[in-house]
Amino acid sequence: FVPKPPGILQRIIVQARWYAIGIFRDEPHPHEPSPAEHFNALQAITYWKVMYLLMPLILITGLIYLYPEFAPDSLFGFDGLLPVAMLHYLAAVAILLFMLSHIYLGTTGKTVGQMFKMMFTGWHEH
């Protein structure tokens, strides 16, 4: 699940273009999953951002909000809990958008349920 660095920016652009345009023109998928590389570059980067940025942010701000005695008295000129609450809310919105896009992209296979079937079975259909 680690993004492979050589040419990653170009692969992200190609994949994003396919998601934005190519998928509607019935163009072939630019990335073929393999045992060595399950995720395309965009999926790998998104996975890392969600798992190593958003999830820790949600957990830490949630714990601070749950135990306000650990919040600073003031932060950036505001009451200490306000920036914590805003970070928690924005991270939650980002995760919600990620979930909605995940559900939508799950319907983009040859049939509506093909991608969901692959998620459950672990078998990639060509």
Side-chain angles (χ1 to χ4, degrees):
F1 302 127
V2 178
K4 309 291 189 266
I8 193 163
L9 184 58
Q10 180 61 30
R11 291 194 324 268
I12 288 173
I13 292 168
V14 167
Q15 192 65 46
R17 186 203 161 281
W18 186 80
Y19 282 133
I21 299 167
I23 197 168
F24 301 109
R25 295 181 178 169
D26 205 24
E27 293 176 6
H29 200 288
H31 174 77
E32 191 66 35
S34 67
E37 200 169 21
H38 298 285
F39 289 168
N40 64 51
L42 194 56
Q43 288 171 326
I45 292 293
T46 303
Y47 175 83
W48 276 67
K49 285 181 181 179
V50 168
M51 295 307 291
Y52 299 115
L53 179 69
L54 289 177
M55 292 306 289
L57 185 62
I58 281 281
L59 291 170
I60 291 167
T61 57
L63 286 171
I64 292 173
Y65 211 54
L66 184 63
Y67 301 104
E69 60 270 14
F70 294 112
D73 291 333
S74 69
L75 194 60
F76 306 118
F78 296 103
D79 176 15
L81 278 180
L82 181 62
V84 170
M86 290 303 296
L87 278 174
H88 191 72
Y89 171 77
L90 292 173
V93 168
I95 289 175
L96 179 65
L97 291 173
F98 170 75
M99 287 174 24
L100 290 173
S101 63
H102 223 81
I103 292 167
Y104 164 70
L105 288 172
T107 66
T108 61
K110 291 181 180 136
T111 65
V112 174
Q114 177 195 11
M115 302 296 254
F116 294 112
K117 182 180 175 186
M118 288 185 340
M119 285 183 225
F120 286 110
T121 64
W123 293 99
H124 177 72
E125 296 177 16
H126 298 284

